[in-house]
């Protein structure tokens, strides 16, 4: 079997589109404000998103499921449910740039958890990169120098939940197609969010439903273009492009949401991104893939 030739230019192009799609998701969720509870917003986003997965139903019906796979998918759905709810909550509490910057912690958490779950070993270089990323998080949060919002705590937990979700997917990714994995994630998260959404339910307006439909569309499109980026070029090439998401988030926050650019957030986010890019590059050199691209862990 011949390997497809690497096309870095095309891979970077698709990853730029991926970043734009996920920044659009972030901005649209931000416009909802507190009109709809976070759990309900997340639930409606996934319910609407099921429509975009209709082409996957045939593959889902043909999938060979075992009790072990059902348990792993259910556990992944539980992790992702917690992460999605907390992410939607954080968007109503803290600036877009801070949400985006702290979202870069997901791959760092994955690298650490992989030691305990997948038996990965941490070389000194990766340990130093992790320490640099954590220092970047401290620059963003600045505990003791400003009052921390519950949204900051929610984002720290969000990254942890999404890291758990990604590692669950790694455990069965070689056994099932990406189509089946994505479809089952959407179904399990929709089911997991349902009781939380019902508990805080308020009837959304048609305009809010339209916004959530746009969220579902851009999230689905982002995952699709990200897949095209990975097919065109190695992750080590496309990963640095995710830095643009922070740039666009800072610009959106300043222009449309009255959130002035915070140099501490930019510095901390840049440090985290640098650490993630280094870890990804080292994995490419060692020809293994553990650390996810940042958008992979998003809702």
């Amino acid at each position: 079997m011949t390997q497809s030739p690497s096309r870095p230019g095309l891979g970077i192009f698709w990853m730029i589109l991926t970043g734009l799609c996920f920044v659009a998701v972030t901005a649209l969720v931000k416009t909802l404000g507190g009109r709809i509870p976070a759990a309900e917003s997340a639930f409606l986003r996934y319910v609407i998103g099921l429509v975009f997965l209709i082409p996957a139903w045939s593959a889902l019906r043909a999938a060979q499921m075992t009790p072990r796979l059902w348990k792993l998918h259910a556990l992944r759905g539980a992790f992702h449910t917690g992460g999605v709810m907390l992410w939607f909550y954080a968007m109503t509490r803290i600036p877009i740039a801070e949400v985006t910057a702290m979202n870069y912690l997901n791959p760092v958490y994955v690298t650490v958890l992989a030691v305990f779950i997948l038996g990965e070993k941490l070389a000194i270089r990766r340990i130093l990169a992790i320490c640099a990323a954590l220092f970047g998080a401290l620059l963003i949060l600045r505990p003791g120098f400003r009052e921390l919002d519950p949204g900051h705590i929610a984002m720290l937990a969000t990254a942890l939940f999404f890291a758990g979700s990604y590692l669950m997917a790694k455990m069965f990714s070689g056994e099932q197609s990406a189509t089946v994995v994505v479809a089952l994630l959407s179904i399990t998260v929709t089911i997991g969010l349902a009781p939380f959404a019902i508990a805080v339910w308020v009837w959304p307006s048609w305009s809010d439903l339209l916004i959530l439909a746009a969220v579902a569309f851009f999230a689905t499109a982002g995952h699709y273009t990200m897949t095209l980026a990975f097919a065109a070029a190695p992750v080590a090439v496309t990963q640095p492009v995710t830095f643009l998401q922070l740039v666009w988030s800072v610009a959106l926050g300043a222009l449309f949401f009255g959130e002035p650019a915070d140099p501490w957030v930019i510095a901390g986010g840049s440090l985290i991104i640098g650490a993630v890019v280094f870890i990804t590059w080292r994995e490419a050199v060692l020809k293994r893939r553990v650390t996810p691209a940042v958008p992979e862990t998003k809702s």
Side-chain angles (χ1 to χ4, degrees):
M1 183 180 297
T2 59
Q3 187 176 7
S4 299
S6 176
R7 293 173 292 174
L10 185 60
I12 290 171
F13 168 76
W14 285 123
M15 190 56 78
I16 289 174
L17 287 186
T18 298
L20 288 172
C21 285
F22 283 117
V23 169
V25 168
T26 304
L28 287 167
V29 171
K30 187 74 172 178
T31 62
L32 290 173
R35 296 194 300 273
I36 303 177
E40 182 183 348
S41 296
F43 172 72
L44 290 172
R45 170 262 180 270
Y46 269 87
V47 167
I48 297 170
L50 291 177
V51 175
F52 298 103
L53 293 174
I54 289 176
W57 291 126
S58 58
L60 191 58
R61 287 196 301 269
Q64 300 294 321
M65 298 296 296
T66 64
R68 170 182 167 274
L69 286 174
W70 279 120
K71 290 178 182 177
L72 287 175
H73 278 290
L75 185 58
R76 189 195 183 198
F79 275 117
H80 216 83
T81 296
V84 168
M85 280 195 299
L86 290 171
W87 185 83
F88 270 78
Y89 173 74
M91 280 303 309
T92 66
R93 302 285 310 189
I94 60 178
I96 290 178
E98 295 190 23
V99 170
T100 302
M102 294 183 70
N103 191 64
Y104 286 105
L105 286 172
N106 297 342
V108 178
Y109 282 6
V110 168
T111 302
V112 175
L113 290 177
V115 175
F116 303 99
I117 297 177
L118 301 181
E120 285 285 315
K121 294 183 179 180
L122 282 181
I124 186 64
R125 294 172 181 172
R126 294 174 77 189
I127 293 174
L128 292 175
I130 291 170
C131 291
L134 295 178
F135 181 70
L138 287 176
L139 287 180
I140 296 170
L141 296 174
R142 303 190 298 285
F145 293 91
R146 68 165 178 171
E147 183 179 357
L148 293 183
D149 189 274
H152 293 120
I153 309 302
M155 275 307 300
L156 290 174
T158 295
L160 186 59
F161 275 116
F162 281 150
S165 170
Y166 180 82
L167 286 174
M168 289 297 103
K170 286 290 292 183
M171 295 176 70
F172 54 71
S173 60
E175 303 175 47
Q176 295 183 304
S177 69
T179 300
V180 171
V181 171
V182 171
L184 283 174
L185 177 65
S186 297
I187 293 171
T188 54
V189 173
T190 301
I191 295 171
L193 288 169
F196 296 99
I198 293 172
V200 294
W201 189 267
V202 296
W203 287 105
S205 65
W206 286 109
S207 60
D208 287 340
L209 284 175
L210 186 61
I211 291 173
L212 287 167
V215 169
F217 169 79
F218 280 111
T220 303
H223 283 288
Y224 179 68
T225 55
M226 181 175 61
T227 302
L228 294 176
F230 292 161
V235 178
V237 172
T238 58
Q239 182 75 283
V241 183
T242 61
F243 173 78
L244 291 174
Q245 291 186 45
L246 181 58
V247 176
W248 293 325
S249 295
V250 170
L252 273 175
L255 293 175
F256 297 102
F257 298 99
E259 300 170 352
D262 187 336
W264 292 102
V265 173
I266 297 172
S270 300
L271 194 55
I272 295 171
I273 293 167
V276 171
V277 170
F278 175 79
I279 293 172
T280 304
W281 172 76
R282 284 296 300 167
E283 289 181 356
V285 170
L286 297 173
K287 300 186 184 303
R288 63 184 178 189
R289 173 83 189 280
V290 176
T291 304
V294 173
E296 282 191 60
T297 52
K298 295 195 67 137
S299 61

